[in-house]
């Protein structure tokens, strides 16, 4: 059966996205480390929501995830790369692990997951990276976010590169570069800042884009922001 894969789905934007897709009648596979909120949601949608507990940093185990998708006979038509790691830390205080972990989650995991998915599935897939305005060249930058913003810039570049390399296929690759959205991650990045939009509000657009955007865009990094940050 065809459906949507949401990577990073237990809270914030990802959780609201899963709820939105389920309300629209989609089948969803949700991948995250914490299962509490997702398991509760599954009680409401036992036939259309499948939860997989997985830590994205363990990319050598992606095959396990894919075998789980086989087990439930699931073929992704849209894949959202939503999970991300952000540590707000001054440049000079960051140690190797801070930087490595940021890139491990925000870039390398998606690099290798995409390889796995492209080798396995030949059906059309719309890959949607949930990126950040911080990763857009020329956008305003902020102290403490150098590793995070650079990792999102790398992710954006990967999306553009994949769209070029697979332009003759039915795969489509786009990124939504979000501005501030009220979530736990925003509080880490900008403590006490209140954004003009919350996860519920933006999920609507992200859901629509994942299901329809491939008809209009490929290889695009689209700013989705009405504020700075
Ligand atoms: N909020 C903003 O202002 C803002 C602005 C620009 C861009 N964005 C982007 O929007 C996306 C969603 O952000 P958010 O604010 O909703 O973040 P969030 O509240 O921190 O949620 C992040 C989600 O990713 C999952 N996740 C994190 N690390 C993971 C790992 N190692 N393995 C599996 N899942 C993992 C978390 O689930 P578990 O902890 O259960 O694993 C959680 O469901 C991110 O890509 C972020 O960079 C957000």
């Amino acid at each position: 059966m065809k459906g949507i894969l949401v990577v990073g789905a237990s809270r914030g934007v990802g959780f609201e996205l899963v709820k939105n897709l389920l309300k629209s009648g989609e089948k969803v596979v949700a991948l995250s480390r914490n299962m509490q909120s997702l398991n509760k949601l599954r009680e409401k949608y036992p036939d259309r929501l499948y939860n997989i507990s997985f830590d994205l940093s363990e990319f050598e185990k992606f095959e396990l995830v894919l075998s789980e998708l086989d087990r439930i006979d699931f073929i992704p038509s849209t894949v959202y790369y939503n999970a991300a790691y952000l540590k707000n830390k001054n440049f000079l205080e960051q140690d190797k692990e801070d930087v490595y972990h940021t890139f491990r989650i925000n870039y390398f995991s998606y690099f290798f997951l995409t390889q796995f998915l492209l080798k396995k599935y030949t059906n059309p897939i719309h890959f949607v990276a949930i990126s950040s305005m911080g990763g857009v060249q020329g956008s305003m930058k902020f102290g403490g976010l150098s590793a995070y913003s650079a990792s999102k810039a790398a992710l954006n570049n990967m999306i553009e590169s994949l769209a070029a390399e697979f332009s003759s296929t039915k795969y489509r690759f786009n990124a939504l570069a979000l501005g501030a959205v009220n979530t736990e991650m925003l509080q880490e990045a900008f403590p006490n800042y209140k954004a003009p939009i919350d996860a519920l509000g933006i999920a609507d657009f992200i859901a629509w884009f994942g299901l329809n955007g491939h008809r209009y865009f490929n290889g695009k990094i689209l700013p989705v922001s009405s504020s700075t940050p």
Side-chain angles (χ1 to χ4, degrees):
M1 108 218 140
K2 288 228 165 100
I4 318 293
L5 175 63
V6 181
V7 179
S10 67
R11 67 179 203 189
V13 172
F15 188 59
E16 293 303 329
L17 175 62
V18 170
K19 287 201 284 186
N20 190 296
L21 291 165
L22 289 168
K23 274 191 195 142
S24 315
E26 301 295 334
K27 294 192 171 67
V28 179
V29 170
L31 192 150
S32 244
R33 291 167 302 180
N34 296 301
M35 289 285 105
Q36 209 177 350
S37 56
L38 287 165
N39 283 342
K40 188 140 183 49
L41 189 60
R42 187 170 145 75
E43 288 171 14
K44 204 169 162 193
Y45 301 98
D47 301 328
R48 288 194 288 114
L49 175 62
Y50 302 87
N51 299 325
I52 301 179
S53 172
F54 189 76
D55 184 340
L56 212 46
S57 64
E58 300 182 323
F59 30 79
E60 66 282 359
K61 295 188 189 154
F62 276 143
E63 254 163 301
L64 280 179
V65 174
L66 298 189
S67 63
E68 187 66 12
L69 298 186
D70 280 346
R71 197 184 61 76
I72 58 172
D73 188 27
F74 180 86
I75 297 173
S77 53
T78 300
V79 177
Y80 290 99
Y81 290 161
N82 174 72
Y85 175 78
L86 183 154
K87 185 84 194 156
N88 185 344
K89 219 172 187 186
N90 293 337
F91 184 78
L92 293 179
E93 287 164 14
Q94 289 184 37
D95 59 30
K96 278 191 190 138
E97 196 41 39
D98 291 327
V99 185
Y100 288 163
H101 191 66
T102 304
F103 272 78
R104 193 178 296 135
I105 301 300
N106 299 358
Y107 178 67
F108 290 120
S109 71
Y110 293 129
F111 188 103
F112 294 116
L113 180 57
T114 309
Q115 278 190 338
F116 271 104
L117 292 170
L118 295 183
K119 283 178 187 169
K120 185 170 174 68
Y121 298 106
T122 51
N123 58 289
I125 301 178
H126 186 198
F127 292 87
V128 181
I130 307 303
S131 189
S132 168
M133 285 303 292
V136 174
Q137 197 175 9
S139 70
M140 184 172 278
K141 300 296 183 289
F142 298 90
L145 302 181
S146 55
Y148 170 79
S149 296
S151 71
K152 289 293 191 177
L155 180 64
N156 291 347
N157 198 296
M158 182 183 93
I159 289 293
E160 291 177 317
S161 301
L162 291 175
E165 189 162 335
F166 292 94
S167 60
S168 62
T169 71
K170 289 194 172 165
Y171 301 127
R172 293 291 176 265
F173 302 88
N174 290 297
L176 299 177
L178 305 190
V181 180
N182 291 316
T183 65
E184 291 183 43
M185 182 181 285
L186 182 70
Q187 283 315 302
E188 169 68 18
F190 300 100
N192 303 321
Y193 176 75
K194 181 125 176 53
I197 194 160
D198 59 18
L200 180 68
I202 201 125
D204 215 21
F205 173 72
I206 297 176
W208 178 88
F209 185 82
L211 299 175
N212 300 286
H214 60 285
R215 292 193 262 137
Y216 312 104
F217 303 98
N218 190 28
K220 297 294 181 286
I221 313 303
L222 301 167
V224 183
S225 176
S226 63
S227 64
T228 307

